[in-house]
Amino acid sequence: MYNNLNPVIVPSSSTSQSSTSSTSSTSSHATTSSHSTSSSSSSTTLVTSTKTSSTTPFTACSTIKTTATSAAATTNPRPILRTYNWNIEWVNAAPDGYERAFVGINGQWPLPVLSANIGDTIKIDIYNGLGNETTSLHFHGIHQGNTTFEDGAAMVSQCPIAPGESFVTEFVLTQSGTYWYHAHVGGQYIDGFRGPLIVRDNTVLKNYGQIDGEYTLSLTDVYHVEAPYLINYYLSANNYNGAEPVPDSALINEGQNTKFDITPGQTYMFHVVNMGAIAGQFLQFDQHNMTIIEADGVYTQPYEVSQLFVAVAQRYTVLVTALPSSCENFAIVSQFLTDMFDSSVTPAGQQPTCTAYLVYNSAAPLPAPFTLTPQPWDDTLLVPYDQQPLWDSSDVNYVYLTVDFEQNDWGSNRAAMNGLTYISQKVPTFFSALTAPAAYQQNPQIYGQVNAQVVQYGQVVEIDLNNHDTRAHPFHLHGHQFQIINRAGNEPMWPGLYSAPAAPMRRDTVVVYPGVGITLRFIANNPGVWLFHCHTEFHVEAGMTATFIEAPDVMVARKPYVPNSHRDVCDAQGIPRQGNAGGDDTNWLDLSNANTEPSQTYYGALINGPAVNPYTGGPD
């Protein structure tokens, strides 16, 4: 069950601050873990609607005519400050029947759905209670205009948060739609530090007619082994063929057999988000079509489908209109896309599908799950509601990127963009850009091996990305949405796009098919430091990342205020906050102290690795 850890909310003009209290969880037996703390949680899957259910009684089988009880809101409430207090700690849960430790909040897992209105301010006081892991918090799809330092990517826009340290993140919601939050350090969100963020804008939703109820539906994949050990194995020389660890189970709302209460004849808005680590998923409602109205925060012209394909990190809002009869209940099935799964490491007993239910009549039996047959999918057929034309300019900045995998000198399979694997540097990239003299701000060399791409304010930037790998990659751009103007591909399941539509689809996460290319455009109107990376979490850890240094001169001129807690977490770990990638603030072109080789004993966010990797049974 998604637990709504309700924030303390005050008008945004108020200066008072309050915090929430922890919600206790049901005890469960502790599992073996290398972490120094343990907590507990019960796993429940029932999710409640944001709209009060109809009180009309169900008969055993009847046709019910429904009418709206009140007019839908067409304006937005006054913006408020939503303040949360989060203790990030370990919680035991068994979402697929196998109990293990997950990264929880205030003793709870799954993590809460955050709901807000456009214009609200989110403020979260974070305490890292994980004991042996650093952490960070990224809001996926939120552009963080003028607050690039709140983007949450460790060693990019901030320092990681060490165990026992506190951190405050605060920003205004200027976008609406379906988003999610997750740790952005060391693959930690594989271990469950992930949750939806829903931002409502009534002035937009009124364009789509009567909406009677609202649900969030997340798709995730779960591993029975904790992330640090999976990542250590994946990047080790022992993984001779470069196979990614394969998840054990598919989940809906971080569980199985989730139930959504439905009233006949009403229309429901489902916020669908794939928060998984590796697996794209197909989603289908038995005998109910879905009308897409939003993708990755971009509202669309209504587009009806019988099945969705949701790549890792993508989101959709869909409308589902209930049938007029309460005779029976209906299954919802999600299913892994298994193209990236190596059979040699696929776990025995894997559960690649998950079932949830539309419950019209609680007295009626739940149906057996149906067999889902994947259908062709092409997200470029979607049309933005505002129908913005192709972004163009007389001075387009063309950025050419390639994606490959290669083995380094000690046998690790590393991803490379333009021939270089991304390596975090000794100074977070944002702080290098913030402190560099004007003569060096726009020199990509000073940022080290982060595949820096420097772009100027106001430019139309065209990314031409060629995927030389044999597998697909869901690429995500921080700080922006992009237009999809070209994508090669000839497979029946994944049609290509060979000329820019009149109103190209925009989103922030797109699948790049194997062995082909894609062309994207964005407008450089958000000065800051933004990652562009594959959102397969193992590939992030392998270095499939580039960094856009966007208008650093404008960013510095705006004099961003870096909060004290951001400075403190760096200082507590001895991480410098000025200088080039290697920390040199005297000779900015001297990169002799920068990081150029990845660690051979890397355990992601884990600080002190074990003598033996429990995933492989061998030494680190």
Side-chain angles (χ1 to χ4, degrees):
M1 176 180 179
Y2 277 130
N3 300 295
N4 288 310
L5 304 184
N6 296 320
V8 172
I9 51 180
V10 298
S12 59
S13 59
S14 172
T15 58
S16 66
Q17 299 178 3
S18 303
S19 62
T20 59
S21 60
S22 298
T23 303
S24 62
S25 56
T26 305
S27 297
S28 61
H29 296 294
T31 55
T32 301
S33 172
S34 67
H35 307 292
S36 62
T37 61
S38 64
S39 300
S40 58
S41 174
S42 60
S43 178
T44 314
T45 55
L46 179 63
V47 176
T48 57
S49 173
T50 58
K51 179 182 174 66
T52 303
S53 299
S54 168
T55 57
T56 303
F58 284 100
T59 59
C61 183
S62 63
T63 299
I64 299 175
K65 294 182 180 180
T66 61
T67 56
T69 57
S70 61
T74 59
T75 58
N76 292 315
R78 179 187 177 191
I80 58 176
L81 171 66
R82 297 176 181 265
T83 302
Y84 304 80
N85 254 19
W86 284 3
N87 181 8
I88 311 302
E89 57 187 346
W90 295 103
V91 175
N92 291 333
D96 65 344
Y98 181 89
E99 187 173 285
R100 52 151 294 185
F102 291 91
V103 179
I105 294 174
N106 298 346
Q108 295 188 11
W109 191 90
L111 304 193
V113 178
L114 299 186
S115 298
N117 296 305
I118 193 165
D120 287 353
T121 297
I122 297 288
K123 181 179 180 182
I124 305 176
D125 295 289
I126 300 166
Y127 174 78
N128 181 357
L130 296 176
N132 193 24
E133 288 195 18
T134 61
T135 193
S136 75
L137 179 61
H138 167 65
F139 283 84
H140 181 107
I142 298 299
H143 295 166
Q144 299 293 357
N146 295 324
T147 52
T148 186
F149 48 85
E150 300 286 19
D151 194 46
M155 297 309 295
V156 181
S157 55
Q158 66 168 74
C159 296
I161 308 166
E165 295 294 325
S166 297
F167 188 87
V168 179
T169 185
E170 182 174 358
F171 55 91
V172 178
L173 293 167
T174 60
Q175 305 158 248
S176 63
T178 306
Y179 305 91
W180 62 298
Y181 61 90
H182 62 85
H184 210 302
V185 59
Q188 189 178 82
Y189 90 73
I190 298 172
D191 282 339
F193 192 174
R194 57 197 184 192
L197 167 67
I198 310 302
V199 186
R200 190 178 182 90
D201 185 345
N202 293 327
T203 66
V204 175
L205 293 177
K206 70 180 181 182
N207 296 321
Y208 297 103
Q210 177 69 31
I211 298 171
D212 301 297
E214 185 172 354
Y215 284 109
T216 299
L217 189 158
S218 70
L219 306 172
T220 48
D221 44 30
V222 67
Y223 290 81
H224 292 169
V225 175
E226 293 173 23
Y229 314 119
L230 299 174
I231 292 167
N232 176 264
Y233 162 75
Y234 173 62
L235 296 177
S236 74
N238 295 328
N239 185 19
Y240 63 92
N241 66 350
E244 297 85 357
V246 176
D248 289 272
S249 301
L251 303 177
I252 292 177
N253 285 6
E254 301 287 28
Q256 298 176 334
N257 303 312
T258 301
K259 299 175 181 68
F260 301 97
D261 291 331
I262 299 296
T263 299
Q266 293 196 343
T267 296
Y268 293 86
M269 180 165 60
F270 280 80
H271 299 282
V272 179
V273 50
N274 187 336
M275 306 188 303
I278 186 173
Q281 296 198 41
F282 298 93
L283 178 69
Q284 189 168 331
F285 292 62
D286 188 26
Q287 301 183 48
H288 295 70
N289 284 343
M290 295 171 275
T291 299
I292 299 172
I293 64 170
E294 179 239 331
D296 291 2
V298 176
Y299 292 96
T300 68
Q301 299 289 323
Y303 188 80
E304 187 171 274
V305 296
S306 60
Q307 184 183 102
L308 277 177
F309 173 70
V310 192
V312 167
Q314 289 185 331
R315 298 90 64 206
Y316 291 94
T317 296
V318 299
L319 300 181
V320 176
T321 298
L323 302 178
S325 172
S326 65
C327 293
E328 58 183 317
N329 303 313
F330 297 88
I332 305 169
V333 172
S334 68
Q335 179 173 299
F336 285 158
L337 173 66
T338 59
D339 287 3
M340 289 184 63
F341 295 175
D342 189 307
S343 60
S344 68
V345 293
T346 297
Q350 185 196 52
Q351 301 178 55
T353 64
C354 186
T355 305
Y357 300 96
L358 297 176
V359 178
Y360 283 74
N361 187 342
S362 60
L366 295 176
F370 58 90
T371 299
L372 184 151
T373 302
Q375 299 172 8
W377 181 253
D378 183 3
D379 57 346
T380 66
L381 295 176
L382 299 174
V383 177
Y385 192 87
D386 59 16
Q387 300 190 55
Q388 289 188 30
L390 174 69
W391 293 328
D392 208 353
S393 168
S394 59
D395 181 28
V396 176
N397 184 342
Y398 295 94
V399 176
Y400 299 96
L401 299 171
T402 60
V403 171
D404 300 90
F405 272 92
E406 56 190 25
Q407 269 195 352
N408 65 12
D409 292 341
W410 51 272
S412 173
N413 288 286
R414 303 291 303 188
M417 297 190 71
N418 289 355
L420 287 174
T421 189
Y422 176 98
I423 298 175
S424 294
Q425 296 302 307
K426 294 180 178 177
V427 177
T429 307
F430 163 69
F431 285 114
S432 289
L434 184 65
T435 60
Y440 297 105
Q441 285 171 352
Q442 302 191 44
N443 185 335
Q445 182 181 342
I446 72 169
Y447 301 104
Q449 197 169 316
V450 297
N451 297 320
Q453 311 293 320
V454 179
V455 298
Q456 307 303 313
Y457 186 75
Q459 285 185 320
V460 172
V461 181
E462 179 171 300
I463 302 173
D464 291 297
L465 177 65
N466 284 289
N467 179 12
H468 296 166
D469 190 29
T470 57
R471 292 176 175 171
H473 299 284
F475 264 86
H476 169 56
L477 178 62
H478 290 221
H480 290 278
Q481 293 153 346
F482 44 67
Q483 293 181 327
I484 307 170
I485 64 175
N486 181 281
R487 177 167 56 191
N490 294 309
E491 296 183 27
M493 276 292 296
W494 317 109
L497 174 69
Y498 294 97
S499 61
M505 183 54 200
R506 304 192 306 273
R507 62 185 320 158
D508 58 48
T509 307
V510 66
V511 177
V512 187
Y513 303 147
V516 300
I518 195 165
T519 304
L520 314 169
R521 283 191 175 187
F522 71 93
I523 300 175
N525 56 5
N526 190 13
V529 176
W530 311 113
L531 292 184
F532 179 60
H533 63 90
C534 174
H535 221 289
T536 300
E537 195 66 354
F538 297 103
H539 297 170
V540 175
E541 296 307 298
M544 194 178 290
T545 299
T547 309
F548 280 90
I549 314 295
E550 182 174 340
D553 53 337
V554 177
M555 181 190 76
V556 171
R558 290 179 177 177
K559 299 181 179 180
Y561 173 75
V562 180
N564 289 336
S565 68
H566 292 50
R567 303 168 189 262
D568 292 345
V569 295
C570 295
D571 298 345
Q573 299 168 85
I575 300 174
R577 292 187 281 107
Q578 65 181 42
N580 64 16
D584 193 325
D585 60 358
T586 301
N587 184 352
W588 281 81
L589 297 181
D590 181 0
L591 276 296
S592 59
N593 200 35
N595 295 332
T596 57
E597 291 291 338
S599 169
Q600 295 190 32
T601 57
Y602 181 64
Y603 275 95
L606 199 66
I607 297 171
N608 298 308
V612 173
N613 184 336
Y615 182 58
T616 62
D620 63 11

